[in-house]
Each structure stands twice: as structure tokens, then as C-alpha cells.
Amino acid sequence: MVKQFVLLYSFKIKIMATAKKPSAKKEIIDDDKIISYYMNDTLQNNEEPKNVYIFCSNHSIEESDFYSFFGSFDSLKQEIWVKFFENALATIEKDTAYKSYSDKDKLLTLYFTLFELLTLNRTYVLFTLKENKEGLKNLKSLKQFRNRFKDFIVDIMEVSANPVNEKLQKVSKPVFSEGAWIQFLFLLKFWMDDSSKGFEKTDVLIEKSVTTVVGLLDTKQLENLFDLGKFLWKEKIKMKTLDKIPTGKIERASQLVKTGFKVGGNYVAYYGEKIVNPNLNRDKLNESNAEDIYDGLKNLKGSALKVAQMLSMDKSIMPQAYVDKFSLSQFSVPPLSAPLVRKTFKKYLGKYPEEIYDTFTPDAMNAASIGQVHKATKDGKDFAVKIQYPGVSESISSDLALVKPFATRMFNLKGKDSEKYFQEVENKLLEETDYVLELKQSLEVSEWCKAIANLRFPKYYPEFSSEKILTMEWIEGEHLSEFTSHNDDRKKGDKLGQALWDFYMYQMHHLRQVHADPHPGNFLIDKDDNLVAIDFGCIKQVPEAFYIPYFELARPEIIENPELFTKKLYELEILRLDDSKEELDYFTKIFYDLLSLFTKPFHGDFFDFSDEDFFGKIAQMGEEFSKDTQLRKMNGNRGSKHFLYINRTFFGLYNLLHDLKARVDTKSYEKYIS
């Protein structure tokens, strides 16, 4: 239907260039043909026709034929917008599942379909609306469109399965529909000024704002309206100046500020209770803060949620409440709506999911930091379909810009070259948003590591994948953290731990690249107790100049040789040429203690990762570092940028092996290196 409409109202120059001159024979004139002529003339001449007489003469149309359909150009322009709406409505009603949609999904479906039509006719729409001097709200061309739109909103209210709450019964249907209309105008203006790729920022705004409007039918959602109104008032967003305001950055920053206020309130409540009860510990405070911080990050999704994911991997530093809550970010956050999922498919694969697969679950099975997973079937095969949230890659730079001042202060980063750390994180996060790259890496790693015992990889399907969609084999199993929560069979833990260790050591020592995102959400345990690796978006290359000194520092004979040890610290940029004697002595001692402990798994042929003494000492060392006032005064700008993801990898790997209580042969991987 969309294609038919676009062809009907096509106004591309190439069509006009090949159009034949009207023949002497009188052709049949209808409203569609007149509209097509009008839109073509307007765009080719960059102005509206002077009058009806000239317009009709140019197209060999009798004026009486024109007036049999339209009383004026104004009524014609209104009809164009009515047809936009009618075609959008006809398109969505062809979907047999549409009638079963929720109020929210019906409105989302209308918006996504309507804005898709407007995008196909964007040049005409922009010309028409940007010429208006009175503002969108008073634009005559939208008069009939507005009536049809408001009727649609009233229909949603009337057929809603959920009765309007008593507190909202005072809000009449006209008032509610007028509010929805104002919201649409806000979205329309944003779309007109949107310069993001594929207008992804508009998609994100539609998703967020519709939640607020439809939420008015339920009082528990009134907070959404309050928050939106507070945000708009605070930033003084006006229709005519919206294009000058970096909406995405401000909105994301305001979410962090809002979270900060909540955390501050938690501290006030905590100290108030402590006055009454001096024995009160910080567990409740940690739980409240973790809840509020996680809620703030999960609403931002993308790179902000990745921060929570990375923090939860270091269990030795963070309070348990934070680890428990942030671990949810590894495979469970609020999903996107079904209409936006369908729009993403249409945009990146050219078809809706039901046109590609035999079955497709409209609701996500799992949702995480930058995407969500749906289940599909085709020709008797089960697929896991990963869909990326819109606008994630565009938000990465601004998210890191928000985090940078806090990180710089927290880690006391001094010197201009500290930018290298932030650039490393930004580059890797951008790579994770490239599903074409992830598909390539997934195919390569699964082929290179297929010989490792008790390790499985899904099969990938390039023909059903794109830059924002990745289709792979669906494998039934438990996430690793779910498995370890109930497993009491040490042999199973050893088997899985050995596969995990061999997988990582083979990558590190043979491939010189490594899966640098080892959290429980990226591993499944299948029914045969095999380890299944399911995500290869974050692959870290390990340069030779870093690899050699890094693993030489894992050897006891290097650690215990002061001269060689110091040399390696310089090679890895841990010690700096501009360090004072105090800094040299201090960091040499810290890294001697740290590496003597952390590299123990490499000091022998076997290691027991269930050793509580080992992990207890790591936790104790982390606590000492967090309380070390001298450390906070030292320049934290030290260490190669490669430490960020390599250390993250080993922190994550150690924690997964600890959860499995695995006893591993540390040399086993060598048999796979030929």
C-alpha cells in the first residue's frame, strides 16, 4: 500500500522528464491525477501554481474538472494530507494482528507508518510546512488531517479494554485527543529538523512520547507526563527553536540528573534512620541506590547501560547490591515495542518480519544494553533474531562526554593523553553497534575455535542479517548465571570451566584477539552441558607490543626480578617518565602486590577457581585501594589503553570461573594450537 501511494504521488524529476505531453484526446481526470500534477508542479517550480486557470491550462484540464473535486488549492492541499492519513491507516489495517494490539502499539504503528509515508514524500512535506509563517498548529493544510487524527485517538479510547481511571474521567475525549494532536505536531516538527541517519532520533522520540500519551489512560503513568512536562518547561523547548537544541544530549543528561536527585534522597533517608538506629548498616542504602541508578541507566539503554554491565563484572569492588542489580543489565532490560521492531525490519531488510520468517514473536524474549532478542521460525528451524535499538550509535559520543568529567575526577586522570582511554572505549562501543562486523567476527571465531571440546556456537544467517539485525540459530539453554545458581555438580562446573578457559587462552595466545565481553548474558549452558558462546560484538585485538610484556608479567621470575619488573612496567606505560620518585615507588609496590596475586592462575599447571582465599584477597585488595587516600592524589593517567579491555576480560573470566567453581588445567589449551 505504501509503494502504491508513493507511485501515485511520485514527484521525482526523472518521472517528469519522461512524461509525455498531453494528447489531444481528453484523458480521464480524477482527484489522484490532479494531486499528482499539483505536487509535481510545486516541487519542480519551487512554488505553488499561480492560480487554477494556469494550472489547468498547463495540464490540459478543464477548470470544471478541477472544481468537481476541489473548491480551491487550499482544499486540494488538505486532501493530500488526508490521503497521507488514509493510506497509513489502510496499510496498518492490512496487518491481521493489528486489532489485537494494545492502545500504545496501535498508536505507535500509526506513527511509524505515517512518518514512513511522510519520509517518502519528505521534499513536498518540508516545502509545504516550512513555508508556513503561523506555526504548525494553525496550518490550514492540516485541518482535515487533524480531524481524522483526533477521530482515530477517540476510537482507541472507545475500544480500549481498560476503562479510563476515575481520576481521568473528567478528562473528556476531545481534550485527550487534542493533547495527542499537540504531541503529533511536536513529533512532526522534530522529524522536520531531524538530521540523524534514517531519522532514527525521531523513532526514539516517538517511542518515548507515545508511552506518555497512552499512559494517561492509567494513573500509574501520570509520572511520565509530569516528567515530560518538567523537562519541556526546564529546557524551554519551543517548536520554532527545536532545531537549535541538542535534544538527545539534554534528555539523557536530565535522566542522569534525575537519578542523582533520587540517590541524594536515599542518603538523606539513610542518615535520618541512622540517627534513630545507630546500628543501621548500609545494605538498605546500597539496595536503594543500586535500584535508582540501574533504573536510570536502563531507560537510557545503549552505552550508558554498558557502563552498568561492565561494573557488574567486577564483583570484588562493588557492594553486592550493586552487583545483583547491575547484573540484570546483562540480559534483562525493558524491550522496544512491536511496532518499532517491525519498522526496523522494514527499514533494514526491506520486509516485515512476518514476510521473512514463518513465525516471529512480536515481544522480545530478552533485552540488553544495545539490542533485544526475538524468536522466529522458518522451514522448521528456530532462530534468535537480535535487533538493535535505534539511535544507539549516535548517542555513544554524547554519553561518554557526560561520563568523562566524573571519570576524570574519580580516577584523577592528569595530562592531555588521557583522551586515549575514552577514545578506546568509544571505538569499541561503536564496533558493538555494527552488526555487519559482529556477523563477520561471529563466523570467524566459531570457525577458528570449533575444535575446542564442550564448546558450541550458533549457526549464523547472513541472508537474514543487516547492520541493525542479526539472525542466528536458536539454542535452548540457561544463561551461565542461572546454571550456577542451582548447580551442585563439581564435574559439570569443571567441564564448563575448562571449555571457558581453553576458549579464552586459545584466543589470547593463538589468535591474538579475544572476546572481551565475558559476562553471564553472553554464555548459555545447553541440555548436554556444553558451553554456548552467543555474542561476538566486542572483539579486542591484542598487539604484539602489548601481548609480550603483559604476559611476561605473569611469570614469577619476572615479578621477582626488580630490574626486569620495572622495565616491563615502563613498557606497559604503568610507570611514566615524568613520575616523581614517590610515584615510582608507590606504583611499583602496588603493581607488585597486584600482579603477584592476580597472576596466580598462570603460575602452575592447575588452578582451583573455587578458592575463596584467592578471591577474598582480591576483594580485600580492592577495598584497600578504594580507601587509599594517597592513591587518589596520584596521577591516574597511566597504563596502556589496551589494559581497559584486556583487564576487563580477565576480571570477567575469573568471575565466571569462580561462579562455576571450576578446577582447570591451565595448559590444556595448548593442544589446540598446531
Side-chain angles (χ1 to χ4, degrees), residues 581-593:
K581 185 179 186 306
E582 180 186 14
E583 287 174 321
L584 290 174
D585 293 342
Y586 180 80
F587 283 108
T588 300
K589 173 66 167 58
I590 276 186
F591 278 91
Y592 173 82
D593 294 341

Side-chain angles (χ1 to χ4, degrees), residues 327 330-331 479-481 517-524 534-535 656:
S327 293
Q330 294 167 356
F331 45 80
H479 285 293
L480 190 146
S481 58
D517 201 6
H519 65 70
N522 282 342
F523 293 96
L524 296 176
I534 58 174
D535 190 310
L656 293 182

Side-chain angles (χ1 to χ4, degrees), residues 88-99:
L89 202 57
T91 299
I92 62 180
E93 288 179 345
K94 288 176 64 177
D95 181 4
T96 55
Y98 172 74
K99 291 184 178 179

Side-chain angles (χ1 to χ4, degrees), residues 386-596:
K386 186 163 68 170
I387 304 168
Q388 187 175 134
Y389 302 132
V392 169
S393 58
E394 287 78 7
S395 71
I396 286 174
S397 294
S398 56
D399 280 354
L400 290 179
L402 292 172
V403 172
K404 188 182 297 183
F406 299 101
T408 301
R409 189 174 298 110
M410 181 182 298
F411 299 108
N412 197 28
L413 301 179
K414 299 177 182 178
K416 296 180 180 179
D417 60 338
S418 63
E419 183 64 28
K420 64 186 178 185
Y421 304 120
F422 298 105
Q423 193 61 53
E424 173 77 353
V425 173
E426 181 173 345
N427 290 342
K428 298 310 295 181
L429 289 175
L430 285 171
E431 286 181 12
E432 289 191 63
T433 66
D434 184 352
Y435 282 2
V436 173
L437 176 62
E438 181 173 346
L439 174 63
K440 175 179 178 292
Q441 292 174 163
S442 301
L443 292 170
E444 290 175 344
V445 174
S446 57
E447 174 64 25
W448 293 335
C449 300
K450 64 183 180 181
I452 297 175
N454 306 312
L455 180 66
R456 285 184 64 190
F457 303 95
K459 181 179 178 181
Y460 292 86
Y461 297 87
E463 64 271 29
F464 302 138
S465 302
S466 71
E467 60 186 287
K468 303 295 182 184
I469 299 171
L470 184 61
T471 300
M472 67 192 81
E473 174 189 6
W474 180 278
I475 297 180
E476 293 290 345
E478 294 181 290
H479 285 293
L480 190 146
S481 58
E482 296 169 332
F483 172 82
T484 58
S485 67
H486 64 74
N487 178 58
D488 55 7
D489 187 333
R490 289 299 300 275
K491 289 185 178 180
K492 287 184 180 180
D494 291 344
K495 171 185 172 182
L496 292 165
Q498 190 65 61
L500 188 63
W501 177 267
D502 289 348
F503 176 47
Y504 272 89
M505 293 306 105
Y506 181 80
Q507 292 177 86
M508 190 72 74
H509 296 295
H510 183 61
L511 301 180
R512 299 295 170 86
Q513 65 175 47
V514 68
H515 175 280
D517 201 6
H519 65 70
N522 282 342
F523 293 96
L524 296 176
I525 312 300
D526 71 9
K527 60 183 177 62
D528 297 318
D529 300 321
N530 291 308
L531 183 71
V532 185
I534 58 174
D535 190 310
F536 295 94
C538 184
I539 298 292
K540 171 63 183 172
Q541 303 295 322
V542 188
E544 190 79 3
F546 177 82
Y547 171 84
I548 292 176
Y550 186 86
F551 282 99
E552 283 182 334
L553 280 177
R555 294 161 51 190
E557 63 270 26
I558 299 292
I559 296 174
E560 298 302 331
N561 185 317
E563 182 178 349
L564 289 177
F565 184 71
T566 300
K567 180 183 177 183
K568 299 306 170 186
L569 292 184
Y570 274 110
E571 289 179 19
L572 291 170
E573 304 173 47
I574 293 170
L575 296 181
R576 300 166 52 100
L577 294 176
D578 59 352
D579 278 339
S580 65
K581 185 179 186 306
E582 180 186 14
E583 287 174 321
L584 290 174
D585 293 342
Y586 180 80
F587 283 108
T588 300
K589 173 66 167 58
I590 276 186
F591 278 91
Y592 173 82
D593 294 341
L594 178 63
L595 292 170
S596 296

